[in-house]
Amino acid sequence: TVDESELLTVPDGWKEPAFTREDNPRGLLEESSFATLFPKYREAYLKECWPLVQKALSEHYVSATLDLIEGSMTVTTTKKTFDPYAIIRARDLIKLLARSVPFEQAVRILQDDVACDIIKIGSLVRNRESFIKRRGRLLGPKGSTLKALELLTNCYIMVQGNTVSALGPFSGLKEVRKVVLDTMKNIHPIYNIKTLMIKRELSKDPELRSQSWERFLPKFKRKNLKKRREPKKKNVKKEYTPFPPPQPESQIDKELASGEYFLKESQKKRKRVEEIKAKQADAIKKRQEERNKAFIPPKEKPVVKAKKDSTEKKIDIEAIKEKVKNAKKKKLGALPVEEVKLKIAADEKKKKKK
């Protein structure tokens, strides 16, 4: 009797056996090929590394051609190709090279335990400014967020243009896709990184493998703290009155009240001219005052005389003389030999008496 839970779990360190020629000795019946276009700025790099690409693919008996005129890369199976999945891996290799992934990383796709995922993020956000901001969050300050994600998922991640290319194990790619899509939905990647760190620590404990981890994982609530914009001009409602407001006075009513209505046309004209002249005189006066401000001298600060020191420091000459005498009495250097012998003899006598 075997426990069913043991059959469902994959043992640690287990690897699928490699596909060899013995598994498919007769090769493939039909020729398969894949082609992909690449941008103009990748042409120089692909030209340099193409011999290495051909060498890597020749080990799996897949031929590769680079068309610089058309701007495309093509991979094709040969008569010697025995692995049917080799052409799919070769297709992924040229796709990654077109998406600015360096050859040193892209060539890892030819290994059995490595897969790739190209996530399209260009159509997930409508506003271009928001898209650039959220894509920048994936990278983080000096690429720190992307580096943390790479360490937690064991994947190589490349953010380029409207796509995110990821290369690594299947379990890591699943997490990368989730983080990228959540970031484009305006969920900061730091929340997902924190969850991944907790999961990594929990996976080390063999007792917790078969248990649910929901109680350990953090639950982040989305809070919308946007305040409503207050208008600059607030309309204050007046108190309701059943009576309508009084009718505003017309220009004729105003003239009748001031008596201007009964003046002659020449008198009205003279009055208007006098008002204009009065306004001009006020304006000239103000302008002249502004000009005269530059010629007004600033107020000078009163000169403060330096106070003489009332108490002069007296030098104590007698104290200095005493210090000099004491210094002369002190003998510098080591004692002479005779004095040393006398001291030793005196010490010995004291010991004998004791």
Side-chain angles (χ1 to χ4, degrees):
T1 57
V2 183
D3 190 10
E4 286 183 7
S5 61
E6 288 181 12
L7 294 170
L8 293 169
T9 55
V10 179
D12 292 332
W14 181 85
K15 273 190 177 183
E16 195 177 340
F19 193 87
T20 57
R21 187 172 280 282
E22 292 169 7
D23 297 318
N24 186 17
R26 294 181 183 180
L28 305 175
L29 292 170
E30 294 290 332
E31 186 187 87
S32 300
S33 65
F34 289 100
T36 185
L37 298 169
F38 60 86
K40 185 75 176 171
Y41 61 84
R42 290 290 289 166
E43 190 178 310
Y45 180 77
L46 291 171
K47 214 172 178 180
E48 282 180 25
C49 72
W50 197 249
L52 297 168
V53 175
Q54 286 178 323
K55 190 183 177 183
L57 290 173
S58 64
E59 291 174 10
H60 298 269
Y61 304 103
V62 177
S63 66
T65 52
L66 178 69
D67 190 352
L68 295 171
I69 296 163
E70 196 181 325
S72 67
M73 295 178 278
T74 313
V75 286
T76 319
T77 56
T78 59
K79 289 179 181 179
K80 290 182 181 180
T81 310
F82 63 87
D83 186 359
Y85 201 71
I87 188 67
I88 303 296
R89 294 190 185 284
R91 178 201 66 183
D92 291 341
L93 173 64
I94 59 172
K95 269 188 181 180
L96 290 167
L97 288 169
R99 294 311 312 145
S100 299
V101 177
F103 171 74
E104 291 78 14
Q105 291 290 341
V107 78
R108 285 170 54 212
I109 196 67
L110 300 173
Q111 298 170 17
D112 286 340
D113 57 343
V114 179
C116 76
D117 189 10
I118 295 168
I119 307 153
K120 291 178 181 178
I121 56 171
S123 60
L124 296 174
V125 185
R126 286 183 181 179
N127 190 2
R128 186 69 185 168
E129 287 178 10
S130 300
F131 169 72
I132 292 161
K133 201 175 183 180
R134 290 174 194 182
R135 188 180 62 182
R137 279 183 201 159
L138 265 177
L139 297 167
K142 296 180 182 178
S144 58
T145 308
L146 196 70
K147 190 69 183 171
L149 201 60
E150 283 181 348
L151 290 167
L152 289 165
T153 57
N154 296 323
C155 293
Y156 173 81
I157 306 163
M158 182 74 184
V159 181
Q160 176 71 20
N162 293 332
T163 58
V164 177
S165 308
L167 188 78
F170 290 99
S171 58
L173 292 174
K174 192 180 174 184
E175 296 293 344
V176 170
R177 179 171 272 274
K178 185 182 178 295
V179 174
V180 170
L181 294 176
D182 281 355
T183 307
M184 288 295 124
K185 288 174 187 173
N186 204 19
I187 297 166
H188 204 281
I190 199 72
Y191 300 129
N192 286 309
I193 285 167
K194 196 173 183 181
T195 308
L196 286 170
M197 286 168 78
I198 294 163
K199 281 181 179 178
R200 195 180 190 181
E201 291 299 315
L202 291 169
S203 63
K204 291 175 184 177
D205 192 350
E207 292 179 5
L208 293 167
R209 281 190 180 181
S210 58
Q211 295 178 18
S212 176
W213 293 349
E214 282 295 319
R215 64 182 190 274
F216 301 110
L217 299 176
K219 290 173 185 176
F220 301 106
K221 288 181 181 178
R222 223 173 157 187
K223 292 178 182 178
N224 192 6
L225 299 172
K226 280 187 179 179
K227 289 182 180 177
R228 184 180 167 273
R229 286 186 181 178
E230 292 182 359
K232 288 180 181 179
K233 291 180 180 178
K234 290 183 180 180
N235 296 326
V236 181
K237 284 186 178 180
K238 295 175 183 178
E239 289 182 11
Y240 175 74
T241 52
F243 305 105
Q247 193 174 356
E249 288 185 345
S250 64
Q251 189 67 28
I252 295 164
D253 291 337
K254 287 175 184 177
E255 285 178 1
L256 284 166
S258 61
E260 195 181 335
Y261 184 78
F262 303 102
L263 294 172
K264 290 179 183 178
E265 192 63 36
S266 58
Q267 288 174 329
K268 286 180 184 178
K269 197 173 182 181
R270 198 183 305 129
K271 194 179 180 182
R272 282 198 295 272
V273 170
E274 283 173 4
E275 284 175 1
I276 291 163
K277 282 182 179 179
K279 280 181 183 179
Q280 285 176 348
D282 287 340
I284 290 161
K285 194 179 180 182
K286 282 180 182 178
R287 210 179 301 133
Q288 198 65 37
E289 284 174 4
E290 286 291 326
R291 285 177 183 172
N292 291 339
K293 275 182 185 178
F295 300 103
I296 297 165
K299 289 182 180 179
E300 292 181 3
K301 292 178 182 179
V303 179
V304 180
K305 291 180 180 180
K307 291 180 181 179
K308 291 181 180 179
D309 295 335
S310 57
T311 56
E312 292 181 359
K313 291 178 182 179
K314 293 178 181 179
I315 299 161
D316 195 356
I317 297 161
E318 294 297 324
I320 292 164
K321 283 180 180 180
E322 281 180 17
K323 281 182 182 179
V324 171
K325 280 179 184 179
N326 292 332
K328 282 179 180 179
K329 284 177 184 179
K330 288 178 182 178
K331 291 179 181 180
L332 299 169
L335 293 166
V337 180
E338 291 175 1
E339 286 185 16
V340 171
K341 285 178 181 179
L342 289 167
K343 271 192 175 184
I344 292 163
D347 290 336
E348 283 177 358
K349 281 178 183 179
K350 282 179 184 178
K351 283 178 184 178
K352 283 176 183 179
K353 284 176 182 178
K354 285 178 182 179

